[in-house]
Amino acid sequence: MAQGLRLVLFGPPGAGKGTQAQLLRDSLKVTHISSGDLFRHHLGQGTELGLRAKEYMNKGELVPDEVTIDIILDKILSVSDEEGFILDGFPRNPHQAEELEKALNGKSRNIDKVVHIEVSEPELLRRLGGRYVCRACQAPHALGEGEDAASKKCDQCCGELYQRDDDGPEAVKKRIEVYNKETMPVLGFYRERGVLADIPGDNTVEQVNKQVMEALGA
Ligand code: AP5
């Protein structure tokens, strides 16, 4: 039986990880695992985990590893070897990367590729300021100037669109700071393992998708 792709999409807040993950999920038929979506799902359900995560998310900080790692690894390990997965938002610090490697080594095969989508800070701020997310399926949408979210529905499932609490200017500033300080070192971890591909992400969604596919050799 063919082995499914094991991909990490890596990049700062607003780089387009979620957007690209949804395109790849549909074209490559692999499971998309987003740690942020998982926390937001729990929050929507009012679970203890969701409420705990919210304290950190709204401030733009990382949710502590003891809350994050087990729950994400459980999800990853539940995907069959044939199906494969795309990780979006995990791992987010070197400790998470080490724990992921340990868990996957237990399944005899590590991450195939880490695609790092690089986007300039002004573009990140522009994108996050205009992003609305579907409450039902979590698909991100970019609203143009003057467009009204209340009169627009999700392109994919017609769900209601809302603006994330952590997309306000203070939380975005903090998220970018946290990314630079705590998450960027993960790049070195994967560079050493020879699986890292850097691609420019300031281009259109379609151009970025083409570059991701090229990085995957697809
Ligand atoms: P998470 O949900 O993972 O957020 P993030 O990493 O900050 O990334 P975003 O979802 O904001 O951006 P994205 O790169 O997916 O961009 P998108 O495709 O939406 O994490 C949120 C929080 O959860 C964290 O701050 C933390 O508290 C917690 N958390 C999550 N994982 C954790 C972990 N492992 N450990 C600890 N804590 C964790 O695109 C953005 C916008 O741009 C959209 O409007 C989109 O339409 C548009 N767009 C996308 N691509 C393009 C393009 N090429 N051109 C123009 N517009 C584009």
Side-chain angles (χ1 to χ4, degrees), residues 11-20 34-37 39-40 56-57 60-63 68 88-92 96 123 126-128 130-132 140-142 164 166-167 175 201 203-205 208:
K17 303 180 294 295
T19 303
Q20 295 299 327
S34 157
S35 42
D37 285 355
F39 289 138
R40 282 184 288 278
Y56 298 92
M57 292 171 82
E61 292 169 6
L62 295 188
V63 179
T68 305
D88 154 15
F90 186 89
R92 232 176 169 100
Q96 293 184 4
E123 176 66 5
R126 189 192 70 75
R127 289 184 190 176
L128 292 174
R131 173 174 59 187
Y132 283 76
H141 294 68
R164 275 171 40 178
D166 61 349
D167 276 349
R175 283 161 64 201
N203 303 323
T204 65
V205 170
V208 176

